[in-house]
Every structure is written in structure tokens, then in C-alpha cells.
Amino acid sequence: EPEVTQTPSHQVTQMGQEVILRCVPISNHLYFYWYRQILGQKVEFLVSFYNNEISEKSEIFDDQFSVERPDGSNFTLKIRSTKLEDSAMYFCASSGPGRVGYGYTFGSGTRLTVV
Amino acid sequence: DAKTTQPNSMESNEEEPVHLPCNHSTISGTDYIHWYRQLPSQGPEYVIHGLTSNVNNRMASLAIAEDRKSSTLILHRATLRDAAVYYCIHAGNNRKLIWGLGTSLAVNP
């Protein structure tokens, strides 16, 4: 069964450093998403991406965050200057080859720890 | 934001059916009803989704009320591997998912 692949599985970074989280969505999907989950809390929507541009973003997704689809397969989330409160599990997801009514497939996540 | 109401927790015995309820009274006419589950330390996993008609797949069945204000996820024979947090979410097609706290399902051997 097709999977969404995320790398790395764990990343430890110092406060103020830039991090890039990588995702390979399912190949024929057209919609891409990032979510995060702080330990013990709800899953939170960050951003959705379609046709090479952001289609929706949350209040969390401020100027420190950016997304990119640099080639036909990768989808990346960049945090420019990490803060302690960015420590969380980050999940990439993809959906739909364009037709209505498709579920979302999630990756296994990247655990980001900011120290 | 889209909002659903689910019981905090439920318990089942192995190999028995489980009915997980969800209320979504604010659902719009074009929103799909999604169910996902999350095992400890893992990413959310798609279970099933539907619009108006009841749906079946290899994992579960989804029964949608006629007025679409509630739905029930049915696991026909619970296994220990079904112990997880189950989330019911309604969302427009390819739109963001707004997550609640879900129902924590415990399965007793």
C-alpha cells in the first residue's frame, strides 16, 4: 500500500537554528499538509499546499515557517529559527489525486526536539 | 472551526464488536465525515470516511445518520491492535482537519 515517508524520524536542534523536515507524499496525490502534535496535546493543522502554493494556513504557521515542493516528489517544512515551543511531532499528510472524497494518508512523523 | 463530540473513552473485549459514536451537529452539506486512529507514538492512520451513505472497508464500517448530524464507527471484531485513540472529524474535500481529543479505546483480552 502506498505510504507517506518522512525523514528524519528524530531531530534534535539548538534553539535559533534552522531545521528542514522532509516528506515524500504519495506519488499521485495533489494536496499536501503539515500537522504537528505537542506531547500530550491535540493534533494541530499547520498548512496545506496545492498547485505549488499554500491553500490554507493556521495561526501557528507564522513567518518562521515555510513550505516548499522543490521537485516532483519532496515536500518540505522549514522552521527558520527554532524555539523551545516548536518541540513536537510533525506529521506530513497527502490526499486525493484530484477527485472528490479521498481520505488523508499520514506519515509516521518527525520528532523535533529543540534544546 | 469544525467540531465533533465523542466520548472520552470506551472499553471493549477482544473479538466483540465496538460501536464508537460521534456527534457532528455543525456539519455542512459538503463536509465529509472522516475517522482516523492513532496508536501510541505513531502517526494518525486513516480508517474510513463517507459523505451520506454507509461505508464499508476492510478495517471498519461507517454508519451515517440520515440527517448527517451523527455517525458511528463500527469495528466488527475488536483485536488488541485496535486499542488506539479514534478521531471523528468532518471537513470539506481536501480541506484541513480540525482534531479533537477523540475516544480512547481499550480492548481487553
Side-chain angles (χ1 to χ4, degrees), chain A residues 55-70:
Chain A
S55 47
E56 286 185 276
K57 61 181 182 178
S58 72
E59 290 177 356
I60 302 167
F61 194 88
D62 62 20
D63 292 344
Q64 292 299 312
F65 291 87
S66 62
V67 289
E68 195 178 32
R69 189 153 160 84

Side-chain angles (χ1 to χ4, degrees), chain B residues 14-80:
Chain B
E14 204 174 4
E15 298 193 4
E16 289 184 357
V18 183
H19 290 235
L20 297 164
C22 179
N23 288 317
H24 30 79
S25 57
T26 62
I27 191 169
S28 76
T30 55
D31 280 1
Y32 285 80
I33 299 154
H34 294 256
W35 284 83
Y36 292 83
R37 70 182 186 182
Q38 189 174 25
L39 279 67
S41 301
Q42 293 192 26
E45 178 186 22
Y46 170 79
V47 178
I48 200 166
H49 78 296
L51 187 60
T52 55
S53 306
N54 294 344
V55 185
N56 300 294
N57 66 21
R58 62 180 175 81
M59 288 182 72
S61 295
L62 175 60
I64 301 172
E66 201 169 323
D67 64 5
R68 299 202 337 120
K69 293 184 186 302
S70 65
S71 63
T72 302
L73 178 71
I74 302 164
L75 307 179
H76 295 284
R77 288 184 67 194
T79 70
L80 297 178

